[in-house]
Amino acid sequence: MMDIKSDKQHTYWNPYLGGFLLGLILIMTFFLTGRGLGASGAAKAIVTQTVHTVAPTHAENNAYYADQFLGGKVPISNWLVFEVIGVVAGAFISGSLSGRVFFRVQHSPKITARKRLWFALLGGALFGFGAQFAKGCTSGAALSGMTVLSLGGYIAMLSIFGGAFLFAYFFRKLWL
Amino acid sequence: MGPLIPEILSDQWNNIIAIITGMAFGFVLESSGFSSSRKLVGVFYGYDFAVLRVFFTAAITASIGLLFMDYFGWIDMAALDGLPARVWPIVVGGLIMGLGFVTGGFCPGTCITAIGIGKLDGFMFFGGIILGVFVFSEMFPLFENFYNSSNLGDVTVPEFFNINPYWFTVGISIIAIVAFYAVMLIQKRIKSVEY
């Protein structure tokens, strides 16, 4: 299950080509729909839908949940949920073409897979929590915001990457 | 002319476009190596700058493209969704996200691509996101005032500093090119990491 050697076969694209194509995708998305790309919003939709289904009154009493289903809106029918389903499929196609699709845990040889998984859970929780304050993550707030020259987008980019550089030293043993 | 939805294409197309867009997004991210946490965090330790290169190139390409389309009258850039500048909530949220980045090794979009190729750490990261969103939502009444504070509105950087948007984008492009050159020099001096 864990085949770290095959991860070393780097057949990734030139980053500038990837960035250029990603830029074209952003242009098309804005041109067609008027909105940008995102990711964390899909998690928000899943959480809200689940809470609303399990405890409807509780959800209606919380302004943060209620905002997403007021006026008959269905949280899980959010644009980003469909987009994220597409992302899974797109990544699967790309990975399949390069022989990168198989179950494993990727981690530094100096830490155990178990430790990697716990820190992935912790990092995800922090990211999901922080993205709510900013109303978006690296793709929705920073990248899409920067595309339309939005001040909020630039602040998001500087804070996310600034924060990561600030804290990177303390977690170097997870990666180096 | 643009955005095409809902004026030219009907609203029903929105979800279809979402899936197709997502597939293109996921394909490009995965092909650029963004499904690998060890490649992503390389930017914070100086051994792999793919994140900076891809991210900056994408932002500049898209900004320049949209500015041209706006100039030609194909799209009204002011009508596009921006991120309202709620300064302090974004800064606090961004710093927490930065901490999440160096501990978890992904951001939400990249963890989805990792899930697409079977990485269990990607699944765990996504589970974490769900947990983080749930905790925030439940605690929302505590944060509500802060959440809505210091809002400068949906303003662009050129508007805020009262500069020309074209020259601003030229400036950002020059900064990016200098950064691309600088990280090339830095990477040569840093011990490479096998992953």
Side-chain angles (χ1 to χ4, degrees):
Chain A
M1 192 163 99
M2 256 173 275
D3 190 351
I4 292 162
K5 270 204 184 93
S6 50
D7 265 359
K8 285 183 185 168
Q9 295 173 342
H10 282 208
T11 47
Y12 298 131
W13 286 355
N14 178 309
Y16 301 114
L17 171 69
F20 177 69
L21 292 176
L22 185 52
L24 295 185
I25 295 167
L26 273 162
I27 293 172
M28 278 313 290
T29 312
F30 273 111
F31 181 64
L32 291 170
T33 67
R35 55 158 304 138
L37 300 167
S40 58
K44 184 178 165 187
I46 293 170
V47 170
T48 307
Q49 186 70 62
T50 309
V51 173
H52 188 44
T53 308
V54 175
T57 339
H58 174 71
E60 276 150 28
N61 288 331
N62 178 319
Y64 200 68
Y65 292 130
D67 188 49
Q68 292 172 74
F69 48 76
L70 278 186
K73 280 190 288 184
V74 183
I76 201 75
S77 301
N78 188 295
W79 194 88
L80 288 170
V81 174
F82 292 95
E83 187 234 56
V84 159
I85 293 169
V87 172
V88 177
F92 175 76
I93 296 169
S94 164
S96 294
L97 294 175
S98 305
R100 284 193 288 265
V101 178
F102 49 95
F103 287 111
R104 77 283 206 189
V105 179
Q106 186 193 18
H107 61 91
S108 158
K110 289 173 192 157
I111 64 168
T112 61
R114 181 185 293 263
K115 187 171 181 184
R116 165 74 187 121
L117 289 175
W118 281 115
F119 272 97
L121 185 74
L122 172 71
L126 289 165
F127 225 118
F129 189 83
Q132 304 314 300
F133 276 116
K135 282 197 185 172
C137 56
T138 333
S139 42
L143 185 58
S144 299
M146 283 169 71
T147 297
V148 292
L149 311 180
S150 171
L151 179 64
Y154 272 89
I155 299 173
M157 183 272 292
L158 291 173
S159 325
I160 296 172
F161 286 97
F165 277 110
L166 203 63
F167 300 120
Y169 177 81
F170 305 103
F171 298 99
R172 64 192 184 282
K173 291 199 170 125
L174 291 177
W175 309 106
L176 295 175
Chain B
M1 189 171 146
L4 298 187
I5 290 175
E7 300 292 322
I8 294 169
L9 282 175
S10 69
D11 218 19
Q12 280 80 357
W13 280 94
N14 225 344
N15 291 340
I16 300 163
I17 292 171
I19 291 200
I20 297 169
T21 304
M23 285 179 73
F25 186 32
F27 190 94
V28 171
L29 285 182
E30 209 290 322
S31 296
S32 303
F34 278 29
S35 55
S36 164
S37 57
R38 298 195 70 205
K39 188 174 180 70
L40 291 171
V41 297
V43 69
F44 305 119
Y45 300 100
Y47 65 82
D48 191 322
F49 288 98
V51 166
L52 182 136
R53 293 180 175 124
V54 173
F55 190 89
F56 246 138
T57 310
I60 292 165
T61 306
S63 289
I64 294 173
L66 287 179
L67 282 170
F68 267 106
M69 291 168 81
D70 183 78
Y71 182 77
F72 293 138
W74 296 347
I75 196 167
D76 179 12
M77 209 160 159
L80 304 176
D81 285 350
L83 186 72
R86 293 150 45 260
V87 180
W88 290 113
I90 296 179
V91 169
V92 169
L95 292 175
I96 298 172
M97 286 191 264
L99 182 60
F101 213 150
V102 289
T103 48
F106 291 116
C107 60
T110 52
C111 100
I112 306 291
T113 67
I115 288 173
I117 64 161
K119 283 189 179 160
L120 302 177
D121 35 331
F123 283 93
M124 280 299 265
F125 192 92
F126 191 76
I129 297 174
I130 296 284
L131 195 66
V133 173
F134 178 68
V135 170
F136 178 93
S137 306
E138 289 297 321
M139 291 169 76
F140 183 69
L142 287 175
F143 307 134
E144 197 162 2
N145 286 331
F146 176 65
Y147 182 79
N148 293 312
S149 68
S150 58
N151 192 348
L152 303 177
D154 193 357
V155 61
T156 68
V157 184
E159 279 165 4
F160 185 74
F161 291 106
N162 201 16
I163 46 177
N164 180 309
Y166 302 117
W167 283 116
F168 171 73
T169 307
V170 170
I172 292 291
S173 306
I174 293 170
I175 292 173
I177 292 165
V178 171
F180 294 154
Y181 188 72
V183 298
M184 188 185 76
L185 298 180
I186 294 169
Q187 200 164 356
K188 280 185 188 158
R189 302 184 51 168
I190 292 201
K191 198 169 71 109
S192 70
V193 172
E194 284 287 327
Y195 55 88

